[in-house]
């Protein structure tokens, strides 16, 4: 990647870092000001009011747009490399997701049980640490649409939720199955479509597609947000050929349309229309300006904030739940809000430094074990 393009990509660093902070700020608001932002559910726990706009949920929509664009762009650059196939791609995605996630699972179980010992419970979530929940989270099967349908049909306890206090992890599982489905299509069916490979990959594609489409059937448009990002990256040359003024006009139009969706007709954050419009606004926004000039002076701090955003997403909510329980009645309101935001960011940064930043080493260690050495063939320069 050229230096100029790397600086232009600072736009995505800025949006990624901002969306992660929106998630933290929104969750802190619900936990610190439950009278304003929370309502008691059927399980007796307090949760975000469904009739309000919650920035934490909107941050997830933005994350999915960025994922669709950046993962597709990465695969497009590398798919002509003979050494890069579905297994190499899946190792990359597994290392990126699980390097910080596996230790986070251990920490959540241990600290949940320590904080909520002696039968103590949380006002905000139901803590689940049973074997089914642990295994489901390990296999990215929590909150899975296919297993929910199977559980309803058979009466068996097949469906599981996110692990313990880590309530936001359902989105990580959703993204994993999007990655699997996209990888099968882009790197098997479209790239090397031999009959044997296609047949072997078909079950993974069917399960991934059913998992993702199950969320769409339930009214969530998160998959559509990912697909908008994918479309902009898959047809990147055509998008880049469109004048910046057109992208600027499209961005302004979609932002105004989003305001109308939220303020006038009160659509939910995950509504399909909202997710599609958000995707267009985010990626057309990338094309409308020379962001290397705009963000150049702050490129490094922007990249730093973006760097630990995934770790921040993984651990911030659990840390907040623990703190709310431990300081209940002693720290409230604005003071609690500041404490939660600071602690969430501190924990995210610590988790990135301790685990996530090493994902490249994990990937490099796993690749020789998973990928198969191909027979000698003419060398071609990889497209980077």
């Amino acid at each position: 990647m050229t230096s100029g393009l790397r600086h232009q990509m600072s736009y995505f660093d800025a949006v990624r870092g901002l969306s992660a902070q929106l998630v933290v700020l929104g969750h802190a608001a619900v936990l610190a000001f439950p009278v304003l932002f929370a309502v008691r559910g059927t399980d007796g726990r307090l949760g975000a009011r469904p009739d309000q706009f919650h920035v934490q949920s909107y941050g997830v929509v933005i994350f999915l747009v960025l994922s669709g664009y950046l993962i597709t762009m990465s695969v497009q650059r590398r798919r002509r490399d003979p050494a890069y196939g579905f297994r190499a791609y899946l190792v990359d995605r597994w290392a990126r997701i699980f390097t910080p996630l596996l230790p986070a699972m251990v920490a959540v179980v241990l600290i949940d049980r320590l904080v909520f010992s002696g039968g103590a419970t949380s006002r905000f979530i139901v803590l689940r640490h049973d074997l089914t929940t642990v295994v489901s989270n390990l296999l990215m099967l929590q909150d899975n649409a296919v297993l929910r349908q199977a559980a309803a049909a058979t009466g068996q306890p097949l469906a599981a939720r996110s692990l313990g206090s880590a309530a936001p992890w359902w989105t990580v599982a959703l993204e994993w199955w999007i990655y699997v489905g996209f990888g099968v299509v882009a790197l098997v069916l479209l790239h090397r479509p031999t009959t044997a490979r296609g047949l072997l990959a078909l079950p993974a594609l069917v399960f991934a597609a059913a998992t993702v489409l199950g969320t769409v059937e339930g009214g969530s448009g998160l998959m559509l947000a990912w697909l908008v990002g994918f479309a902009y990256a898959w047809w990147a040359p055509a998008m880049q050929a469109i004048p910046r003024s057109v992208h600027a006009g499209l961005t302004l139009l979609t932002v105004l349309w989003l305001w109308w969706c939220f303020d006038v007709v009160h659509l939910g954050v995950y509504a399909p229309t909202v997710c599609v419009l958000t995707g267009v606004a985010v990626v057309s926004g990338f094309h409308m300006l020379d962001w290397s000039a705009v963000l150049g002076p702050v490129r490094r701090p922007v990249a730093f904030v973006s760097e630990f955003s995934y770790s921040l997403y993984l651990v911030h909510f659990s840390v907040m739940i623990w703190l709310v329980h431990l300081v209940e009645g002693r720290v409230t309101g604005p003071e609690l809000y500041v404490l939660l935001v600071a602690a969430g960011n501190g924990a995210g940064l610590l988790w990135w430094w301790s685990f996530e930043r090493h994902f490249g080493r994990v990937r490099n260690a796993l690749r020789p074990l998973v990928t198969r050495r191909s027979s000698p063939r003419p060398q071609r320069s990889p497209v980077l």
Side-chain angles (χ1 to χ4, degrees):
M1 187 181 296
T2 65
S3 177
L5 179 57
R6 191 184 307 115
H7 290 183
Q8 175 74 358
M9 295 295 287
S10 293
Y11 169 84
F12 288 110
D13 286 338
V15 176
R16 182 183 177 203
L18 174 62
S19 59
Q21 293 302 322
L22 289 179
V23 173
V24 173
L25 293 173
H27 282 149
V30 173
L31 298 178
F33 306 105
V35 173
L36 298 176
F37 300 108
V39 66
R40 196 169 298 279
T42 56
D43 60 359
R45 299 303 195 274
L46 294 172
R49 294 175 62 97
D51 58 335
Q52 292 180 339
F53 172 82
H54 294 283
V55 293
Q56 65 269 31
S57 299
Y58 198 56
V60 172
V61 178
I62 297 172
F63 264 130
L64 266 291
V65 176
L66 298 179
S67 171
Y69 186 88
L70 295 174
I71 295 302
T72 304
M73 188 179 66
S74 174
V75 169
Q76 281 284 62
R77 288 201 309 266
R78 304 178 64 185
R79 63 199 294 259
R80 291 182 178 84
D81 179 359
Y84 188 75
F86 178 69
R87 280 180 289 187
Y89 161 83
L90 206 60
V91 167
D92 287 356
R93 295 296 91 216
W94 192 96
R96 188 71 180 86
I97 289 178
F98 280 90
T99 299
L101 178 60
L102 290 178
M105 292 181 64
V106 175
V108 163
V109 172
L110 293 179
I111 302 178
D112 274 358
R113 295 192 170 188
L114 179 64
V115 172
F116 297 99
S117 60
T121 59
S122 169
R123 291 188 297 150
F124 295 94
I125 57 170
V126 177
L127 298 170
R128 301 176 180 88
H129 304 117
D130 57 277
L131 182 60
T132 300
T133 300
V134 172
V135 173
S136 294
N137 279 257
L138 277 171
L139 298 177
M140 289 290 170
L141 296 175
Q142 69 269 32
D143 294 283
N144 186 278
V146 176
L147 294 188
R148 281 200 302 270
Q149 294 294 328
T154 63
Q156 298 299 314
L158 301 174
R161 303 297 302 274
S162 294
L163 181 66
S165 57
W169 287 2
W170 66 271
T171 61
V172 180
L174 173 62
E175 193 158 7
W176 169 256
W177 291 109
I178 292 175
Y179 289 160
V180 171
F182 171 67
V184 169
V185 172
L187 295 170
V188 179
L189 301 183
L190 295 181
H191 186 37
R192 297 168 183 172
T194 62
T195 302
R197 282 177 178 154
L199 290 176
L200 288 174
L202 191 58
L205 177 60
V206 170
F207 185 83
T211 295
V212 175
L213 291 176
T215 65
V216 176
E217 184 182 3
S220 171
L222 285 174
M223 178 56 186
L224 300 178
W226 199 93
L227 284 175
V228 173
F230 152 80
Y232 270 85
W234 193 263
W235 291 284
M239 297 299 175
Q240 292 165 2
I242 298 173
R244 283 182 176 170
S245 59
V246 175
H247 281 294
L250 191 57
T251 303
L252 177 60
L253 176 63
T254 51
V255 168
L256 292 175
W257 197 344
L258 282 167
W259 168 82
W260 182 81
C261 288
F262 290 133
D263 198 56
V264 179
V265 297
H266 305 292
L267 289 181
V269 170
Y270 295 154
T273 302
V274 169
C275 291
V276 170
L277 292 174
T278 300
V280 174
V282 168
V283 192
S284 278
F286 168 67
H287 290 288
M288 76 178 186
L289 287 176
D290 179 5
W291 291 103
S292 61
V294 175
L295 297 174
V298 294
R299 179 175 59 86
R300 290 187 178 180
V302 164
F304 174 74
V305 173
S306 172
E307 191 75 19
F308 71 96
S309 60
Y310 174 51
S311 287
L312 176 62
Y313 187 81
L314 286 181
V315 302
H316 79 280
F317 191 74
S318 292
V319 170
M320 290 179 177
I321 290 290
W322 301 331
L323 277 174
V324 167
H325 180 74
L326 292 173
V327 305
E328 189 166 12
R330 289 175 290 163
V331 182
T332 59
E335 290 182 354
L336 179 58
Y337 184 77
V338 172
L339 174 63
L340 295 179
V341 172
N345 274 278
L349 183 56
L350 176 63
W351 215 255
W352 169 81
W353 187 85
S354 300
F355 301 105
E356 185 185 355
R357 69 191 180 103
H358 304 297
F359 82 90
R361 296 179 183 178
V362 175
R363 175 196 61 205
N364 294 339
L366 289 176
R367 264 197 185 175
L369 303 176
V370 176
T371 58
R372 181 176 54 197
R373 226 178 251 279
S374 58
S375 57
R377 61 179 72 184
Q379 295 296 314
R380 289 185 291 177
S381 299
V383 180
L384 299 176

